[in-house]
């Protein structure tokens, strides 16, 4: 292991440098062994027998001398010091030549990054030797008089590198818990099983495997972190970020200030997923010439507290090894009171290091006064407005340069920059799956936008796939006009609020709230379906059984979750039978009444804050709270259909593919039976099944039979006379089998 390089010859790699440094370790061990006492080693080399003579010798030795040294400490002998200085001088010249040639020597980098002392550096090399050459294991076992101790103990390391006993006692602190070697997990302390607590000097040490890999020019991330940490090479510049120019200029100025800042700095980036928080961090790293180390905070929280604390230190260490800044994704998962210990662990660790760290979340937060020494800045990332969304779509469509399409998508879907880019990619994939040679269609883009809207709402509400159109509903002309006005309010919302400036006039209430009132079966759900279909939005029907709770405060929590998820879902919220939830506030007679009224007041607040589309449907408008009705932008009455409207419904209800007899008397059905559109739909469907089982063509026999069943289901007393000229069909035996 003799270094053959000439003085001043640069090392070609960090590996070559480490091997050269180990020549000094090899030389120190050889010098130490030359001083050992052959007789003493022979008597006790296996560690199983201690003679009386050896005990007497040990008692006469100076305090803290190792058993194998009868001469003064190695580094107290002039001839040894001179030889060691000569070797060190040769290595120093080679190191300087390497730095001049731009060769990164990992050991020197480690010393700088973790503020290691010369004693730390020497200890690290002595502990590293067995990881590179197994014969050092036997040499250390020989020097420690125990074949099972193949790693150097703290006492052996200090004896090899300290010139006096007093110096050994002073340098012992370099191996304590808060010293760099141990705090940063550069060294691992090994004790034999069953020994329990043993003195620090007796503990064996080894270099952490990740540090061994680093010193040998390895950059593979620590395997203990691989499941929740990822390293990125930043390739984004501030100019590429899609933000207003003034916002980008502030970010760039902040990045430039980090070059000379020598204190711990936290940037808390607040905004929903996809607004560009990670892209911004990459731009910072690109400006500073660093990598980005992304930590999944939610995954890290699954670890026990002890493992969590160790992992936080390993993350900080890995950032130094990777020459990267740390990006704590979803840091707000640590903000609850239950996670205070974990949060304090992270922040305390960050205070020890004068560098920039990114924290991200979706909720506002400020550090406690106990961390006042940290430079803390919160940066809010708003959702892009309509004009910004149009530009993002133009940039993302790549050749599909249709300004009208970009405007329409920006109107319809309130997506952020990340979602828009992802939706454009998904649309291209959908087109490729349909036909590799086909182009992206408008339908592909709409589908992709819906896919990249927040899908978590599906866990809180029932998703309804819209499929009805304006041709499917039968209502008075005035009611249809009202529904189309609701559609226009969604389509032109950005133009009125943003372009025409009404956004500045309204603090809240920018969403669209509509009340559909009318008897059951009159088309309220169908109207909501039509609006969602025409607007290209998803429709979510709120299941009241999952919202209303008998426990105080739970209903509000459930509603808060629904409205929070709906903010980024680009969907229509549909509350059916809303009077059960939005009913009139009552006079307070007991605690139940008081909390029920609190729930209603809370709902009023959420309705005013929400910017999306909410449709409330009720069969009993008179039971709705007046405050809710006043806050509705639209109130649409769905009347019970008259004969004329029932006839239109009877004719519209049949699909073109359904075989029907020419003698279907739909005018008679509309005039004779006063039922709602929902009931008519049920009768038509039942008649279709009867026809399918009886020849395959719907005729009056099937229709009368289905009507009889529907009236029975409605609880009405049925007389044959009610069926008029078709009364005889109600007793037809052709269906009996």
């Amino acid at each position: 292991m003799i270094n053959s390089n000439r003085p001043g010859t640069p090392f070609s790699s960090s590996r070559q440098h480490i091997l050269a440094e180990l020549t000094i370790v090899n030389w120190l061990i050889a010098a130490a062994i030359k001083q050992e006492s052959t007789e003493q080693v022979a008597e006790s080399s296996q560690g199983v027998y201690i003679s009386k003579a050896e005990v007497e010798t040990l008692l006469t030795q100076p305090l803290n001398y190792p058993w194998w040294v009868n001469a003064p400490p190695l580094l107290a002998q002039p001839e040894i010091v001179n030889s060691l200085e000569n070797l060190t001088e040769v290595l120093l010249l080679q190191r300087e030549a390497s730095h001049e040639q731009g060769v990164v020597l990992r050991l020197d980098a480690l010393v700088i990054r973790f503020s290691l002392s010369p004693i730390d550096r020497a200890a690290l090399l002595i502990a590293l030797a067995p990881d590179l050459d197994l014969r050092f294991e036997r040499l250390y076992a020989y020097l420690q008089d125990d074949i099972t101790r193949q790693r150097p103990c703290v006492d052996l390391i200090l004896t090899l590198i300290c010139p006096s006993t007093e110096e050994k006692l002073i340098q012992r602190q370099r191996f304590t818990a808060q010293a760099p070697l141990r705090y940063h997990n550069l060294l691992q302390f090994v004790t034999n099983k069953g020994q329990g607590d043993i003195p620090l000097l007796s503990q064996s040490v080894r270099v952490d495997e990740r540090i061994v890999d680093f010193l040998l020019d390895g950059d593979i991330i620590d395997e203990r972190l691989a499941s929740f940490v990822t390293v990125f090479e930043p390739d984004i510049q501030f100019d590429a970020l899609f933000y207003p120019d003034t916002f980008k200029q502030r970010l760039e100025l902040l990045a430039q200030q980090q070059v000379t800042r020598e204190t711990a700095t936290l940037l808390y980036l607040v905004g929903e997923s996809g607004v560009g928080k990670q892209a911004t961090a990459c731009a910072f790293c690109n400006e500073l010439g660093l990598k980005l180390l992304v930590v999944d905070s939610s995954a890290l929280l699954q670890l026990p507290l002890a493992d969590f604390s160790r992992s936080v230190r390993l993350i900080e260490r890995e950032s130094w090894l990777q020459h990267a800044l740390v990006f704590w994704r979803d840091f707000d998962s640590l903000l609850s009171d239950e996670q205070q210990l974990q949060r304090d662990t992270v922040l305390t660790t960050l205070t020890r290091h004068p560098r920039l760290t990114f924290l991200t979340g979706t909720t506002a937060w400020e550090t406690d006064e106990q961390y006042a020494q940290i430079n803390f800045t919160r940066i809010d990332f708003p959702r892009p407005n309509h004009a910004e969304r149009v530009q993002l779509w133009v940039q993302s469509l790549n050749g599909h340069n249709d300004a009208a399409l970009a405007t329409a998508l920006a109107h319809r879907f309130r997506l952020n920059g990340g979602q828009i880019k992802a939706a454009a990619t998904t649309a291209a994939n959908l087109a490729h799956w349909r036909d590799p040679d086909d182009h992206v269609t408008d339908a592909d883009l709409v589908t992709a936008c819906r896919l990249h809207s927040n899908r978590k709402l599906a866990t809180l509400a029932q998703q309804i796939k819209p499929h009805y159109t304006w041709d499917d509903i039968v209502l008075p002309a005035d009611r249809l006009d009202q529904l189309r006005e609701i559609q226009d309010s969604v389509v032109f919302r950005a133009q009125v609020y943003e372009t025409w400036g009404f956004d500045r006039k309204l603090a809240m209430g920018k969403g669209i709230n509509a009340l559909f009132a009318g008897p059951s079966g009159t088309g309220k759900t169908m109207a909501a379906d039509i609006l969602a279909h025409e607007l290209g939005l998803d429709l979510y029907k709120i299941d009241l059984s999952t919202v209303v709770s008998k426990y105080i405060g739970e209903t509000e929590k459930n509603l808060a979750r629904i409205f929070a998820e709906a903010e980024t879902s680009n969907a229509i919220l549909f509350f059916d039978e809303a009077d059960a939830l939005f009913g009139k506030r009552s006079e307070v007679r007991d605690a139940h009444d008081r909390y029920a009224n609190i729930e209603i007041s809370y709902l009023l607040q959420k309705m005013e804050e929400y910017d999306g589309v909410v449709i409330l449907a009720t069969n009993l408008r008179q039971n709705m709270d007046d405050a809710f009705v006043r806050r509705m932008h639209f109130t649409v009455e769905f009347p019970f259909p008259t004969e004329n409207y029932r006839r239109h419904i009877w004719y519209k209800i049949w699909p073109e593919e359904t075989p029907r007899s020419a003698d279907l008397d739909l005018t008679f059905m509309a005039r004779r039976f006063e039922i709602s559109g929902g009931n008519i739909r049920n009768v038509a469907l039942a008649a279709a099944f009867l026809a399918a089982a009886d020849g395959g063509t719907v005729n009056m026999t099937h229709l009368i039979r289905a009507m009889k069943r529907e009236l029975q289901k409605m609880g009405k007393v049925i007389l044959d006379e009610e069926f008029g000229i078709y009364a005889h069909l109600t007793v037809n035996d052709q269906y009996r089998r």
Side-chain angles (χ1 to χ4, degrees):
M1 191 176 293
I2 302 299
N3 179 26
S4 61
N5 289 329
R6 298 186 307 278
T9 303
F11 296 109
S12 61
S13 66
S14 184
R15 293 186 297 273
Q16 188 184 53
H17 171 230
I18 292 296
L19 292 176
E21 292 279 0
L22 290 186
T23 61
I24 294 181
V25 178
N26 189 79
W27 187 89
L28 277 173
I29 293 174
I33 291 176
K34 287 180 181 179
Q35 296 188 97
E36 55 87 18
S37 170
T38 304
E39 181 179 356
Q40 288 176 328
V41 173
E43 289 182 353
S44 60
S45 61
Q46 297 303 317
V48 295
Y49 172 73
I50 302 176
S51 67
K52 183 178 180 180
E54 182 181 353
V55 171
E56 292 174 350
T57 302
L58 291 172
L59 290 173
T60 59
Q61 287 180 350
L63 182 64
N64 209 31
Y65 267 39
W67 66 266
W68 45 271
V69 175
N70 291 317
L74 292 176
L75 299 187
Q77 303 176 51
E79 67 277 8
I80 293 179
V81 172
N82 291 336
S83 299
L84 189 59
E85 287 179 349
N86 291 334
L87 283 173
T88 303
E89 180 65 24
V90 172
L91 287 174
L92 180 60
L93 292 174
Q94 289 186 264
R95 288 164 57 196
E96 291 176 349
S98 301
H99 293 315
E100 291 175 0
Q101 295 293 323
V103 178
V104 177
L105 301 181
R106 293 291 182 90
L107 179 59
D108 291 349
L110 200 72
V111 169
I112 295 172
R113 292 180 188 179
F114 296 105
S115 302
L116 302 183
S117 69
I119 293 293
D120 297 334
R121 187 180 189 277
L124 199 64
L125 284 167
I126 292 171
L128 177 67
D131 290 290
L132 306 184
D133 191 338
L134 290 178
R135 65 192 180 91
F136 280 100
E137 289 187 341
R138 297 185 64 81
L139 292 172
Y140 289 147
Y142 177 83
L143 290 175
Q144 296 174 108
D145 190 28
D146 189 342
I147 194 65
T148 65
R149 303 191 68 180
Q150 299 178 336
R151 295 282 173 167
C153 66
V154 173
D155 183 68
L156 175 57
I157 293 174
L158 290 174
T159 300
L160 288 173
I161 59 181
C162 291
S164 66
T165 300
E166 183 179 1
E167 184 67 17
K168 284 180 61 176
L169 295 176
I170 294 173
Q171 297 302 335
R172 180 184 181 277
Q173 65 179 329
R174 305 305 300 177
F175 296 89
T176 56
Q178 295 303 312
L181 288 175
R182 200 161 186 174
Y183 180 83
H184 297 294
N185 293 286
L186 305 183
L187 291 183
Q188 293 181 351
F189 286 70
V190 184
T191 58
N192 294 331
K193 292 182 179 179
Q195 287 185 328
D197 293 334
I198 62 175
L200 176 63
L201 292 176
S202 297
Q203 294 182 31
S204 299
V205 300
R206 64 178 301 164
V207 180
D208 186 83
E209 188 60 36
R210 175 65 182 97
I211 301 302
V212 175
D213 177 70
F214 174 79
L215 292 173
L216 299 179
D217 292 322
D219 285 319
I220 298 177
I221 198 167
D222 194 319
E223 62 181 7
R224 291 163 291 189
L225 305 177
S227 61
F228 44 80
V229 173
T230 309
V231 178
F232 289 93
E233 292 278 359
D235 58 354
I236 299 176
Q237 297 181 344
F238 284 107
D239 289 343
L241 299 176
F242 192 80
Y243 303 129
D245 290 340
T246 54
F247 189 71
K248 286 194 292 186
Q249 290 168 2
R250 290 200 301 269
L251 290 175
E252 195 165 4
L253 178 61
L254 195 57
Q256 293 168 357
Q257 293 173 347
Q258 303 309 312
V259 176
T260 56
R261 179 167 284 177
E262 297 181 354
T263 55
T265 301
L266 297 183
L267 292 187
Y268 183 46
L269 313 182
V270 185
E272 64 188 36
S273 176
V275 295
K277 292 173 288 188
Q278 186 167 319
T280 298
C282 284
F284 268 81
C285 291
N286 200 11
E287 180 78 15
L288 299 172
L290 301 171
K291 299 179 185 177
L292 186 66
L293 194 77
V294 178
V295 181
D296 185 344
S297 303
S298 300
L300 187 60
L301 270 177
Q302 305 306 312
L303 299 178
L305 182 59
D307 292 338
F308 179 92
S309 300
R310 184 194 66 174
S311 297
V312 170
R313 291 190 182 183
L314 292 179
I315 288 169
E316 190 64 25
R317 187 188 74 177
E318 189 67 31
S319 71
W320 286 101
L321 299 179
Q322 296 284 354
H323 207 48
L325 298 181
V326 182
F327 180 90
W328 287 83
R329 179 187 294 153
D330 299 330
F331 182 79
D332 52 352
S333 62
L334 279 70
L335 298 183
S336 65
D337 292 340
E338 293 79 5
Q339 310 299 340
Q340 182 175 350
L341 289 176
Q342 289 88 337
R343 181 173 68 254
D344 288 343
T345 297
V346 174
L347 295 177
T348 301
T349 302
L350 297 180
T351 58
R352 295 176 62 106
H353 304 286
R355 62 190 320 209
L356 173 64
T357 301
F358 301 98
L359 311 178
T360 72
T362 58
T363 56
W365 171 73
E366 297 288 336
T367 55
D368 299 330
E369 60 181 18
Q370 69 187 80
Y371 301 109
Q373 70 273 33
I374 301 178
N375 291 305
F376 180 87
T377 302
R378 193 184 83 202
I379 302 176
D380 295 307
F381 287 75
R383 294 171 64 90
N385 59 32
H386 176 260
E388 292 168 343
R389 292 198 300 272
V390 172
Q391 292 184 41
L392 279 171
W393 274 115
V394 171
Q395 292 177 4
S396 300
L397 290 177
N398 292 330
H400 201 96
N401 295 324
D402 187 340
L405 174 61
T407 302
L409 292 171
H411 271 306
R412 185 178 297 182
F413 298 99
R414 294 181 298 162
L415 302 177
N416 56 47
Q419 290 173 314
I420 288 175
K421 292 178 182 178
T425 301
T426 299
N429 294 337
L430 291 172
H432 183 77
W433 169 251
R434 183 177 60 252
D435 184 347
D437 297 325
D438 204 355
H439 298 291
V440 175
T441 65
D442 294 0
D444 293 330
L445 288 165
V446 170
T447 301
C449 289
R450 293 169 68 173
L451 290 173
H452 284 281
S453 297
N454 189 340
R455 315 296 290 180
K456 293 181 181 179
L457 193 57
T459 64
L460 305 171
Q462 176 189 355
Q463 183 178 2
I464 299 175
K465 187 176 182 180
H467 61 281
Y468 289 117
T469 66
W470 291 116
D471 291 335
D472 294 312
I473 195 167
V474 177
L475 284 173
D478 179 63
R479 308 301 194 272
L480 287 175
D481 289 342
Q482 285 182 283
L483 293 177
R484 291 187 184 275
E485 289 168 10
I486 296 174
Q487 177 183 336
D488 292 341
S489 296
V490 177
V491 172
F492 299 107
R493 177 170 48 184
Q495 180 177 339
V496 172
Y497 283 127
E498 297 178 18
T499 306
W500 290 3
F502 270 87
D503 187 42
R504 299 190 303 273
K505 298 294 184 179
L506 301 173
M508 293 188 296
K510 301 172 189 176
I512 297 173
N513 304 323
L515 175 64
F516 291 174
S520 177
T522 52
K524 300 184 294 296
T525 302
M526 177 182 284
D529 186 296
I530 292 170
L531 287 172
H533 182 267
E534 294 296 323
L535 293 168
L537 302 177
D538 288 326
L539 178 65
Y540 284 93
K541 183 178 180 181
I542 309 303
D543 184 356
L544 295 183
S545 66
T546 65
V547 175
V548 180
S549 174
K550 65 180 180 180
Y551 298 105
I552 294 174
E554 286 300 312
T555 300
E556 290 91 329
K557 289 181 181 179
N558 294 334
L559 285 166
R561 290 175 59 203
I562 289 173
F563 279 104
E565 297 298 345
E567 281 288 350
T568 55
S569 66
N570 291 289
I572 296 177
L573 293 184
F574 180 65
F575 289 85
D576 199 7
E577 300 182 7
D579 50 287
L581 191 61
F582 300 80
K584 288 185 177 180
R585 282 170 284 193
S586 60
E587 181 182 349
V588 177
R589 293 187 177 89
D590 53 29
H592 180 273
D593 292 336
R594 181 164 65 88
Y595 283 110
N597 290 345
I598 289 175
E599 290 178 0
I600 296 173
S601 299
Y602 179 79
L603 283 169
L604 285 170
Q605 174 188 336
K606 299 307 293 184
M607 292 281 287
E608 287 190 334
E609 293 175 354
Y610 183 57
D611 285 340
V613 181
V614 177
I615 298 176
L616 311 179
T618 178
N619 300 338
L620 303 169
R621 178 180 174 177
Q622 65 272 20
N623 289 348
M624 294 292 293
D625 188 87
D626 293 338
F628 274 115
V629 176
R630 285 198 305 271
R631 284 167 171 79
M632 294 296 108
H633 298 93
F634 299 91
T635 299
V636 183
E637 294 284 353
F638 286 74
F640 195 88
T642 62
E643 178 183 341
N644 183 46
Y645 287 110
R646 290 198 300 272
R647 183 169 62 253
H648 283 295
I649 295 173
W650 274 113
Y651 278 99
K652 281 179 173 287
I653 199 67
W654 305 102
E656 291 294 332
E657 300 86 352
T658 303
R660 287 164 288 164
S661 173
D663 64 351
L664 279 184
D665 194 350
L666 299 180
T667 299
F668 168 81
M669 300 296 292
R671 182 180 66 252
R672 195 72 172 181
F673 303 104
E674 296 182 4
I675 57 177
S676 68
N679 297 125
I680 293 174
R681 178 199 58 201
N682 294 341
V683 172
L685 183 61
F689 277 107
L690 291 172
D694 181 45
T697 300
V698 179
N699 56 39
M700 281 302 295
T701 301
H702 306 128
L703 209 54
I704 293 299
R705 180 82 172 184
M707 177 59 73
K708 181 178 180 180
R709 296 301 183 214
E710 183 68 14
L711 295 175
Q712 288 174 337
K713 185 177 69 175
M714 294 168 64
K716 292 188 176 182
V717 177
I718 303 171
L719 301 175
D720 290 344
E721 290 77 6
E722 293 185 32
F723 295 92
I725 59 175
Y726 299 105
H728 64 285
L729 298 180
T730 62
V731 294
N732 198 305
D733 294 333
Q734 62 178 304
Y735 301 106
R736 297 177 183 174
R737 300 179 181 177

